[in-house]
Amino acid sequence: MCIRDRTYSLKIHTERNIKMSKGLLIVVSAPSGCGKGTILAQVLKNDNFYYSVSATTRFPREGEVDGVNYHFLTKEGFEKLIAEDGMLEHACYCGNYYGTPRKAVFDKLEEGKDVILEIEVQGAMKIKEKCPDAVFVFILPPSLGTLRHRLEKRGTETPEVIDKRVGEAAGEIEKAHNYDYIIVNDDLDDAVADFLAVVKAEKMTVKRSSETIDEILNK
Ligand code: 5GP
């Protein structure tokens, strides 16, 4: 086996064995305007969570900071990262590239952090293939009307973009069937509590706790 092949097989090993890593890989999707950012901002007050900063080719919105909200890249820079196999997944959404830089995710999982990927559904389904032990959470608005209203109130998009995003949202919501958990964001505190409950319950599943069973048997 040449070194290149060995590197490849080690990588597959890492991705398929998320279950064995100390932290949880949590994939969160929601149509734009569902309040996912607000929910995650509350969740991330807990130091054990790590938010994976994505790369994108879209322009920064007012107030967004490079390296904090996203790594803002040119199309060429983004494609270079893909070619170097630096992305765990990537997708094209509303005409721009979005992707998850691979290294930070596995470094943080190894440290024992619960890593949150806030990504759209195409990317989430790629993670499902590569990392079947990740946890998939979909956040829903109470209705499509509420979603449109929230986007209009946010005021960061033109009416054309809002139409496009609401249209895409309907298609995305249908994909929620492929996720493990649904959280309806009607009330922020409830949604945050639901998210934390999902993480807590996941950590108690037998597939993630077999070591605990063995430890108790050997005490
Ligand atoms: P926005 O432009 O509103 O920040 O994000 C648009 C969509 O791209 C959202 O659904 C967001 O979750 C998704 N997104 C953000 N980062 C990534 C990523 O790294 N990979 C993928 N596949 N989607 C992402």
Side-chain angles (χ1 to χ4, degrees), residues 36 54 58 61 70 89 98-100 118-120 165:
K36 150 188 75 168
S54 295
R58 86 150 160 72
R61 294 188 187 121
Y70 281 104
E89 62 72 37
Y98 291 84
T100 304
E118 182 190 341
I119 64 179
E120 52 64 71
R165 292 214 165 191

Side-chain angles (χ1 to χ4, degrees), residues 28-33 36 51-56 58-59 61 64 69-70 78 87 89-94 96-101 117-124 126 154 157 165 172:
V28 184
S29 300
S32 166
K36 150 188 75 168
Y51 180 82
S52 158
V53 179
S54 295
T56 184
R58 86 150 160 72
F59 285 111
R61 294 188 187 121
E64 284 185 331
N69 303 92
Y70 281 104
F78 198 104
M87 292 292 187
E89 62 72 37
H90 70 276
C92 205
Y93 180 87
C94 287
N96 286 301
Y97 277 133
Y98 291 84
T100 304
L117 308 187
E118 182 190 341
I119 64 179
E120 52 64 71
V121 287
Q122 305 168 61
K126 287 181 200 157
R154 188 164 84 182
E157 261 87 21
R165 292 214 165 191
E172 280 178 303

